[in-house]
Amino acid sequence: MRRLTSILLAGSATLALGACASLPDWMPGAAGQRPGVAVQAVAPGAPGEQPTWVNAAKTGVGSSYEAYIDGRYGPGAATGPVSRVWFSIADGVLTETMYGLIHEAQIKQLRFAVATPTGLAVEGTDTTSRTEYLHTDTQGRPLSPAYRVTTTDRQGRFEIEKRIFTDPDGQSLFLRVTIRATGRAVTPHLLLEPHIANTGVNDRGTATADALHAWEGGTHLVLRPSAPFEATTAGFMGTSDAMTDLADGSLDTLYASTGEEGGNIMLAGALPVIEAGQTLTRDFVIGFGNSEAAAEATAAATMAAGFDTVLARFNGEGSAVGWEDYIASLDQLPRLAAQSTDGGNLAYASALMLKVQEDRTYAGALIASLSNPWGDTVDATSPSTGYKAVWPRDFYQVAMAMLALGDTETPLAAFRYLPQVQVDTDTPGNTGATGWFLQKTWVDGTIEWVGVQLDQTAMPIMLGWRLWKAGLVSDAEMARMYADMIKPAADFLVEGGTIGLLWNDRTITPPWTQQERWEEQEGYSPSTTAAVIAGLVTAAEIAQASGDAASAERYLATADDYASRVEARMFTTEGSLGDGDYFLRLSRNEDPNDRGTLGENNGQPGLPEDRIIDGGFLELVRYGVRPADAPSILATLPEYDDQGREDRLRVRYDLNGFPAFRRYGNDGYGENAETGGNYGVGGNTPGQRGRVWPFFTGERGHYELARALRAGSTDLTTIRNTYVAGMESFANEGLLLPEQVWDGVGNRTVHGYQPGQGTNSATPLAWTHAEYIKLLRSLADRQVWDRYAPVAERYRR
């Protein structure tokens, strides 16, 4: 006999399904209660199929707002205990969910499979979706990253609404799920795919009516429903999992545990039958901890607090300190929102996205994106950070954007964090030069990549100078940071040195860089050189104030030398594009006219350097190394804007009616134009194609602002309506900005992208949100936010 189960109906009515409730033949019954259905102890099929991650085109990401105490995260802050849980949303389902450090994924996805009289439907595959913010101001602008996600069956049989947020006082995630049968009766099944400890292998799990439990080593999660499941099962993906069992529409092979063997697992729970026209609402809490008991306890505490209380704490309503308080602290946000063309929606969302993507153990550790690029085809057998890691370049963009918003705490914490990712004599394994900043690290400083990118060594200096000039870093602190971090970095920008870390034993002679900002080529780069010059000029001011006049003089002399040879090293007068006069993306040596061959990368053949152009030359204007009307800058614009070039070498594509740009011609970092497959599937092949990156629309907007101001223009309406509106057009329904958008070239992928739509590369990209915020600030100030006055004054012509 089936137990009584209450189902919350629309309009707060309640339906009781009891022993008299009739079940269609295709409906599964409760394990252990339905005749003929036995629960077996251990699921077969370990370790299951090879695991992957999921779609990186997120429409929502979230975490709790946590206040600092003395510039750090810890007990005693106004927000209470520190929650270290992050979540993401894609295709209408909960995707990668992190607990611990920001890169430590514990869940691949949670979705629902719904048995219907006409077959099984699975969220994401068989549904459309809509993502909305739960908490907004009177103008509809988001005030917290809590979401309402609605999936609708393509055949009109059901609709599922999920409300998702974290508990700011616990290590837990809250979901309120409402399912409506819009056709005939349906039976939903919750499907949870753990990826404990940031992999999809070695997981173990158990399933009972009251809880689903997964663990690996000392990391555990427990999912608790607000009412017991009708049936539960644990199994290995592709062999004994619930999705495999449900292929015939019936959950009739049940397992209590995955046993002693670990693997790629799924835990599942069946919900009651929902009759036609009726609605079921259930709450689910996922708790995390270092033991089953700890995970269970935090889940129980969150469930006991209840939906309304936890959501109010998350939002910061009433006396609670939460996201409302953070948004209210951003005193520049209203000014910036006034420069938008969408009423400030994207500005408010961007403020949330930038703060969400900070680790909650290492204050100021700002990552590139809460996603794993092209994750649905990325192997999850070994741990992978994806973009959930620190690159000092992306880091700089985000810290500067947060400063532009009026956040005075996070950029300062970021600046104080930076010594953790600078190479010194104590860096594990280092036997070579010091002072440079690591290419990519985990938030705890663990080394991942060790290429030398000189802009990443310059930008920490530039950030420090801005904070110092803003009065956020005292003279005394700056003197300490100069000795410990800035002087070693500036010295490296002058002297370079031989690297001795992991595989890297190259000798760096600045401004020649081992890698430019796309991490692919060595040589002389306009964008890298611009940052190096700005870094040295600002370092000179700091050195002078710190009592090191000799170093100040040396830094300025070196910056002058680099600046005097920008065109000689990187501007060709004998190029094969346009009239032959333009900045190269990169020159392999000091002769920009020798048509040297660039290296192969991302499946693309190495081509003569004069055939490849990018927008890096605009950084010379942004930082003040060249005025906007410098002849070399003006000469390059026609080649950069040429839309008549073959697709391989073409950079500009006007999408959604706005200027948009690829990284550079011959870029292969993107989907395959021949097959439509994800980047890297089958290895790097010539068919791969890097698509359009929205933040270049912002970079061009910054240039056009500099040019307008240089010309004395007072009307900035065209810039706002072109470049601000252009960036806004690339945001998805969750107001998240991607790394790349589809340019319409080649075979469309399985996702069926439209031109201008974000791809599966990485969303949200923090750099894109940062560029948008900085463009709004630049328009509000009528001055480029990243312009360094001592640089511009020194090199204006």
Side-chain angles (χ1 to χ4, degrees):
M1 180 179 295
R2 295 173 61 86
R3 64 178 167 269
L4 291 177
T5 304
S6 293
I7 301 180
L8 183 66
L9 298 173
S12 300
T14 301
L15 169 72
L17 289 181
C20 61
S22 61
L23 295 177
D25 291 340
W26 51 270
M27 290 288 185
Q33 297 183 24
R34 179 181 173 195
V37 179
V39 180
Q40 300 179 52
V42 177
E49 64 189 15
Q50 180 173 315
T52 65
W53 297 106
V54 286
N55 187 0
K58 311 303 183 187
T59 57
V61 300
S63 67
S64 301
Y65 168 67
E66 302 295 338
Y68 295 132
I69 182 165
D70 298 327
R72 297 179 175 86
Y73 287 119
T79 45
V82 179
S83 173
R84 296 183 172 92
V85 177
W86 297 260
F87 66 90
S88 62
I89 299 161
D91 298 321
V93 305
L94 178 74
T95 53
E96 286 101 340
T97 300
M98 280 59 65
Y99 156 70
L101 299 181
I102 196 169
H103 67 269
E104 293 177 327
Q106 313 298 344
I107 295 172
K108 172 182 176 177
Q109 61 184 344
L110 183 155
R111 52 188 170 155
F112 286 86
V114 182
T116 80
T118 54
L120 186 72
V122 181
E123 272 194 302
T125 303
D126 302 310
T127 57
T128 60
S129 64
R130 182 175 72 254
T131 303
E132 304 167 284
Y133 287 91
L134 271 179
H135 190 50
T136 61
D137 65 11
T138 56
Q139 299 180 58
R141 300 178 300 199
L143 295 177
S144 83
Y147 297 92
R148 177 188 296 107
V149 183
T150 306
T151 53
T152 303
D153 177 50
R154 296 181 189 275
Q155 297 185 34
R157 296 167 292 186
F158 61 87
E159 182 178 84
I160 303 175
E161 178 192 281
K162 295 179 290 293
R163 301 185 181 207
I164 308 173
F165 49 92
T166 59
D167 185 345
D169 291 340
Q171 310 306 326
S172 54
L173 178 76
F174 205 117
L175 295 94
R176 171 160 286 182
V177 180
T178 299
I179 307 172
R180 184 163 65 96
T182 52
R184 297 162 61 187
V186 301
T187 299
H189 305 80
L190 180 150
L191 308 179
L192 174 64
E193 296 176 53
H195 271 25
I196 304 293
N198 204 31
T199 73
V201 296
N202 299 320
D203 293 350
R204 296 164 61 190
T206 61
T208 69
D210 298 316
L212 305 179
H213 171 219
W215 73 95
E216 178 184 335
T219 304
H220 295 250
L221 71 78
V222 170
L223 182 149
R224 284 194 56 169
S226 57
F229 289 113
E230 301 295 294
T232 58
T233 187
F236 293 97
M237 293 297 297
T239 55
S240 54
D241 64 282
M243 183 76 82
T244 300
D245 189 23
L246 283 167
D248 62 357
S250 179
L251 189 65
D252 50 19
T253 306
L254 308 178
Y255 304 99
S257 167
T258 58
E260 295 299 319
E261 290 191 69
N264 181 12
I265 70 172
M266 174 185 283
L267 306 177
L271 302 183
V273 177
I274 306 172
E275 299 294 346
Q278 296 182 347
T279 299
L280 167 71
T281 292
R282 284 282 171 84
D283 290 341
F284 301 95
V285 173
I286 305 173
F288 301 92
N290 59 9
S291 67
E292 180 181 7
E296 166 63 28
T298 193
T302 299
M303 186 70 79
F307 176 89
D308 292 335
T309 297
V310 177
L311 180 57
R313 292 193 309 225
F314 182 87
N315 292 336
E317 299 176 76
S319 61
V321 177
W323 279 108
E324 277 191 14
D325 300 275
Y326 178 70
I327 291 295
S329 74
L330 305 177
D331 61 4
Q332 296 299 308
L333 181 55
R335 287 184 66 227
L336 274 58
Q339 298 298 321
S340 71
T341 69
D342 71 346
N345 290 338
L346 183 57
Y348 276 68
S350 294
L352 296 172
M353 292 305 102
L354 295 175
K355 187 62 175 175
V356 163
Q357 296 181 102
E358 177 195 14
D359 189 59
R360 298 298 192 268
T361 299
Y362 295 92
L366 305 170
I367 65 166
S369 176
L370 208 63
S371 64
N372 200 328
W374 295 283
D376 51 351
T377 51
V378 171
D379 182 16
T381 301
S382 299
S384 172
T385 58
Y387 279 5
K388 299 186 286 290
V390 172
W391 279 265
R393 177 177 42 255
D394 300 60
F395 184 104
Y396 163 85
Q397 311 295 342
V398 175
M400 286 291 289
M402 297 181 91
L403 185 63
L405 285 163
D407 182 340
T408 58
E409 292 186 321
T410 311
L412 183 57
F415 179 60
R416 292 169 175 168
Y417 166 86
L418 281 166
Q420 296 186 64
V421 295
Q422 186 178 29
V423 176
D424 59 25
T425 55
D426 294 327
T427 298
N430 182 48
T431 60
T434 59
W436 57 285
F437 282 79
L438 291 160
Q439 179 184 357
K440 178 189 178 186
T441 65
W442 298 5
V443 292
D444 65 0
T446 298
I447 298 170
E448 192 160 349
W449 295 348
V450 296
V452 177
Q453 301 170 11
L454 292 182
D455 59 341
Q456 297 208 127
T457 295
M459 287 174 173
I461 303 172
M462 297 154 64
L463 174 62
W465 183 89
R466 285 299 296 261
L467 296 172
W468 179 48
K469 290 298 180 180
L472 300 178
V473 174
S474 68
D475 290 348
E477 180 178 5
M478 183 52 77
R480 292 193 300 272
M481 290 294 279
Y482 172 73
D484 294 342
M485 183 182 84
I486 291 173
K487 178 174 170 51
D491 286 347
F492 188 82
L493 295 178
V494 172
E495 302 164 0
T498 299
I499 309 304
L501 188 58
L502 300 180
W503 57 265
N504 197 347
D505 59 2
R506 296 293 299 276
T507 297
I508 311 300
T509 307
W512 182 96
T513 186
Q514 186 178 23
Q515 295 177 354
E516 32 65 87
R517 67 175 177 167
W518 307 132
E519 310 190 281
E520 298 169 350
Q521 300 282 352
E522 62 183 44
Y524 296 93
S525 156
S527 60
T528 298
T529 303
V532 169
I533 294 168
L536 285 171
V537 172
T538 52
E541 279 206 6
I542 298 169
Q544 191 70 45
S546 300
D548 188 359
S551 290
E553 182 178 350
R554 186 167 70 122
Y555 298 156
L556 288 176
T558 303
D560 291 347
D561 175 62
Y562 294 167
S564 70
R565 293 199 273 175
V566 163
E567 281 78 11
R569 283 172 165 154
M570 293 166 282
F571 186 87
T572 182
T573 56
E574 300 175 12
S576 59
L577 305 178
D579 65 2
D581 294 344
Y582 50 88
F583 274 108
L584 305 174
R585 171 201 171 191
L586 182 133
S587 178
R588 294 296 288 265
N589 54 40
E590 297 199 45
D591 181 1
N593 291 319
D594 70 353
R595 301 192 179 185
T597 301
L598 297 177
E600 298 180 5
N601 210 279
N602 291 318
Q604 307 309 299
L607 297 179
E609 60 194 21
D610 69 306
R611 298 184 65 190
I612 309 300
I613 194 169
D614 76 348
F617 69 101
L618 298 178
E619 298 294 271
L620 293 162
V621 177
R622 180 194 289 258
Y623 299 138
V625 178
R626 290 290 183 270
D629 57 359
S632 57
I633 301 293
L634 295 177
T636 307
L637 289 172
E639 281 70 41
Y640 187 48
D641 286 336
D642 184 0
Q643 297 191 67
R645 200 171 297 142
E646 63 172 299
D647 283 323
R648 173 184 287 274
L649 300 181
R650 179 178 167 186
V651 178
R652 178 169 171 171
Y653 288 80
D654 287 2
L655 301 173
N656 302 338
F658 302 105
F661 306 86
R662 300 169 68 205
R663 294 193 302 175
Y664 55 85
N666 202 41
D667 184 8
Y669 186 60
E671 293 82 3
N672 195 302
E674 296 171 355
T675 67
N678 279 350
Y679 170 79
V681 172
N684 285 322
T685 63
Q688 290 177 172
R689 175 180 172 82
R691 307 293 170 169
V692 162
W693 292 48
F695 70 65
F696 292 125
T697 299
E699 287 192 354
R700 183 59 175 270
H702 273 106
Y703 168 74
E704 295 298 342
L705 173 62
R707 183 156 69 165
L709 295 173
R710 177 83 169 177
S713 175
T714 59
D715 185 4
L716 306 180
T717 303
T718 299
I719 295 172
R720 183 177 299 108
N721 291 339
T722 302
Y723 300 101
V724 172
M727 291 200 75
E728 290 165 355
S729 79
F730 297 128
N732 62 29
E733 63 182 6
L735 297 175
L736 273 57
L737 287 166
E739 177 187 78
Q740 300 184 43
V741 299
W742 190 250
D743 59 9
V745 176
N747 289 333
R748 193 168 297 168
T749 74
V750 294
H751 298 284
Y753 301 126
Q754 298 298 316
Q757 179 183 356
T759 71
N760 189 9
S761 58
T763 304
L765 189 72
W767 188 345
T768 315
H769 283 281
E771 185 67 20
Y772 175 72
I773 289 296
K774 290 193 290 182
L775 181 57
L776 295 181
R777 180 64 188 258
S778 297
L779 286 166
D781 290 352
R782 303 182 69 83
Q783 177 173 289
V784 174
W785 179 245
D786 283 304
R787 178 182 180 271
Y788 288 84
V791 178
E793 291 164 5
R794 193 170 188 86
Y795 301 115
R796 67 176 149 197
R797 297 174 182 175

